[in-house]
Amino acid sequence: MEKKEKKEKELVDFIVTARKYQTTLTEKYKRRPIWQKPNAGDVISHLPGTIIEVEVKEGDRVEAGQLLLIHEAMKMLNRVVSPVAGVVTKVNVTVGEHIPKDHLMVRIG
């Protein structure tokens, strides 16, 4: 007969409306990516797709709302505009490149 080992569970305290509770954290939760505050000048792709046109290069000064590039996703051409005014510090895409979701396309500093 096999003996089953009893695994100690790690309990985490949390407080909700002045009441204290304990819970165990799942392995999936422990392996999750750690959240980081987004940079206001980072232009991230929300869908996978193809870069059709790039209108800026590193060192260009851009205004908020200025066209940066055209991104084709789900058979639609999407105009990607600058969220802030500043100088383009990084262009991380090229024309014809297939990019995944959450890819940093342009960084504005």
Side-chain angles (χ1 to χ4, degrees), residues 1 3 7 10-12 28 32 36 43 49 55-56 62 67 69 71-72 79 85 89-90 92-93 95 101 104 107-108:
M1 261 186 152
K3 266 189 174 178
K7 193 173 182 180
E10 177 184 354
L11 296 175
V12 179
K28 181 179 178 181
R32 79 195 184 287
Q36 295 177 13
V43 181
E55 295 290 326
V56 294
V62 294
L67 178 66
L69 54 92
H71 173 239
E72 181 183 13
R79 295 171 40 90
T89 58
K90 185 171 190 163
N92 203 25
V93 293
V95 174
K101 179 181 177 184
L104 173 67
R107 176 168 283 154
I108 301 167

Side-chain angles (χ1 to χ4, degrees), residues 53-75:
E53 195 175 316
V54 179
E55 295 290 326
V56 294
K57 60 185 181 303
E58 290 181 14
D60 285 357
R61 179 139 194 83
V62 294
E63 297 299 320
Q66 181 178 335
L67 178 66
L68 299 175
L69 54 92
I70 297 181
H71 173 239
E72 181 183 13
M74 298 174 56
K75 299 183 183 179

Side-chain angles (χ1 to χ4, degrees), residues 49-54 93-99:
T50 305
I51 302 300
I52 302 299
E53 195 175 316
V54 179
V93 293
T94 57
V95 174
E97 181 179 1
H98 299 286
I99 59 171

Side-chain angles (χ1 to χ4, degrees), residues 2-19:
E2 282 185 38
K3 266 189 174 178
K4 289 188 179 180
E5 287 185 29
K6 200 168 193 178
K7 193 173 182 180
E8 286 292 320
K9 292 190 179 197
E10 177 184 354
L11 296 175
V12 179
D13 296 334
F14 64 97
I15 299 173
V16 178
T17 60
R19 293 180 188 214

